Amino acid sequence: MLGRLNHVAIAVPNLAAASAQYRTMLGAEVTEPQVLPEHGVTVVFILLPNTKIELLEPLDETSPVAPFLARNPSGGMHHVCYEVEDILAARDHLRQQGARILGDGEPKIGAHNKPVLFLHPKDFNGTLIELEQV
Ligand code: CO
């Protein structure tokens, strides 16, 4: 069911500073900031030869990422995103296996204009998993 690793996401307290650090200190290609109101975050992507790193900054204190940053004020690894070919089939399969889908269980449009879902971290070894249909 799982395809490629699409990205690893890191929550950051200051997106501009983190982007600048990746650009200048690490010499990486960083995309322009993208505001995703439905997800409560602003994101940039670090483009690597084999995958991407997503840097996430909460839009405000109601963001789903805000509690994570409150617990991890200097930032930290937030989720991994795996590609799937059919997100509804993947969701139904996971539900049958007893896994919990976050939110209302309906895919939202993610940063790449593709449908995404998040799986409960308690069902996956403490790791928040994003599925993206490609
Ligand atoms: Co993501």
Side-chain angles (χ1 to χ4, degrees), residues 7 9 45 54 56 79 81 118 130:
H7 59 267
F45 284 92
E54 177 180 49
L56 299 166
H79 65 267
C81 176
F118 286 89
E130 177 179 20

Side-chain angles (χ1 to χ4, degrees), residues 5-10 22 29-31 43-48 51-56:
L5 172 69
N6 187 276
H7 59 267
V8 174
I10 300 171
Y22 268 84
E29 187 181 343
V30 183
T31 63
V43 304
V44 301
F45 284 92
I46 315 297
L47 305 179
L48 304 177
T51 189
K52 298 184 277 289
I53 304 298
E54 177 180 49
L55 302 182
L56 299 166

Side-chain angles (χ1 to χ4, degrees), residues 17-67:
S19 299
Q21 183 187 49
Y22 268 84
R23 242 184 228 117
T24 60
M25 201 183 286
L26 296 170
E29 187 181 343
V30 183
T31 63
E32 288 304 309
Q34 218 182 327
V35 179
L36 302 176
E38 207 182 345
H39 297 275
V41 291
T42 306
V43 304
V44 301
F45 284 92
I46 315 297
L47 305 179
L48 304 177
N50 63 337
T51 189
K52 298 184 277 289
I53 304 298
E54 177 180 49
L55 302 182
L56 299 166
E57 181 186 63
L59 282 178
D60 56 36
E61 64 281 356
T62 67
S63 167
V65 179

